Amino acid sequence: MNDANYVPLPTRLSQGDIVRAPIGVFGRRADLADPSLVDAAPAPLAYGEPHGTAVAVPWQTAAGADGPLVLRAWHFPAVVVTLDCGIDKAPPQVLVAPILPLMAAQPSERDGIRAGTYLMALYLPPEPEMIFADGSRFSFPESYVDFTRTTAVSLGLLMAERMVALSGAQVDRFQEAWVRFVAGRELSSTGTVAAAAGKRIRSVETLESSRRRHTVLFTFEDDSIVVLYQEPRRRGDHLQEIQIRGGTFDPPEVQAVAGSNLVLRFENEDRRDWRLAGEALGLSSCRIAAAATTSILVQCPQQPGELRLVNLDRRGQTLHLRIVRPAETDTA
């Protein structure tokens, strides 16, 4: 099992644990692709069964009339969404988001999910031999976390259903994708931190601390504050910003360390979208939106070499990714 992506379970329920969980969605009977599911007797909620079950739920609308409310439910693998600090408070429910095979997504969405540009999902890489907590082994396919079907589940239902966990690096990707999903955009504190330059710190307070992250409050002498997140136990992904002007890349070449994760952050200054592709990166087509920022996670191969990312709309424009051994990098 590749511990860069998946690891054995921690001692307690944590964010990033993969569990077997019930997933529920409410809707109208008219919204069902197969309304006969409601008329049939409720089917057993079998694990991994894509049809799931459907149950009519009596309810009243605001006007007082009965409405055709239907509960659709499935039993799927899911990722625990609730933060560790929230789980530590032993809430009645925690949030989980289901995991689906990538082939279940629309063909037009799969490249975006792989590239991390699809706002409502997080890509999970395949694992030829996933080792679960009970010792069983499973070939895990390319998958994605569907944030749109996030469900509140009783804490007691999950304790015996834990299977394996996302690695620390994957949990970080999960957190970033979740923030983008709920906020609808990428959040940045760059301006706030830059405004603190030259100020004297009066006090430092740790607001929260967990095994993955510390939240620290800095108070300055002018009573302004900055809240920062400290992650001392993990070596972060490498970040490379790339400008796109007139369809060309600046810089045209990026260097990365073999076996590391590289985040390519594209700042598209053009008033049109561009389509990028890189066969060796597993990208057949990735859309870079006009006048926007798009990030792509690259899992660099273990061996040195060169990868290419091509602008499909301007064939002559190529971004070269030179993969080097750690000793070859510039340490200045």
Side-chain angles (χ1 to χ4, degrees), residues 2-189:
N2 184 356
D3 61 6
N5 297 319
Y6 307 101
V7 296
L9 288 168
T11 56
R12 61 185 180 87
L13 184 70
S14 303
Q15 184 187 54
D17 285 4
I18 297 179
V19 298
R20 304 176 188 90
I23 301 298
V25 174
F26 286 100
R28 302 175 304 167
R29 180 190 177 100
D31 296 330
L32 297 183
D34 183 6
S36 66
L37 286 171
V38 183
D39 301 324
L45 204 56
Y47 177 67
E49 170 55 54
H51 294 294
T53 190
V55 180
V57 180
W59 78 315
Q60 289 187 324
T61 65
D66 290 336
L69 182 67
V70 174
L71 169 63
R72 289 284 280 122
W74 301 266
H75 191 193
F76 281 160
V79 175
V80 175
V81 175
T82 301
L83 293 168
D84 290 1
C85 57
I87 297 173
D88 289 344
K89 295 178 175 63
Q93 296 90 27
V94 296
L95 296 178
V96 298
I99 298 173
L100 303 175
L102 187 63
M103 293 302 294
Q106 295 294 324
S108 60
E109 297 171 353
R110 292 171 192 166
D111 285 336
I113 292 174
R114 287 191 184 99
T117 59
Y118 189 70
L119 192 66
M120 295 179 287
L122 170 70
Y123 175 73
L124 295 181
E127 175 56 49
E129 190 175 43
M130 186 85 86
I131 304 173
F132 294 140
D134 61 3
S136 60
R137 297 169 184 262
F138 179 73
S139 180
F140 188 71
E142 274 191 303
S143 303
Y144 69 99
V145 182
D146 184 355
F147 291 137
T148 66
R149 283 197 256 182
T150 299
T151 301
V153 177
S154 170
L155 190 63
L157 287 177
L158 301 180
M159 300 310 295
E161 301 297 329
R162 302 166 71 209
M163 297 187 293
V164 72
L166 297 179
S167 67
Q170 291 287 33
V171 170
D172 290 333
R173 290 184 56 239
F174 177 87
Q175 291 173 341
E176 180 182 353
W178 177 256
V179 169
R180 290 176 55 219
F181 169 68
V182 297
R185 61 188 179 86
E186 188 169 330
L187 302 180
S188 173
S189 60

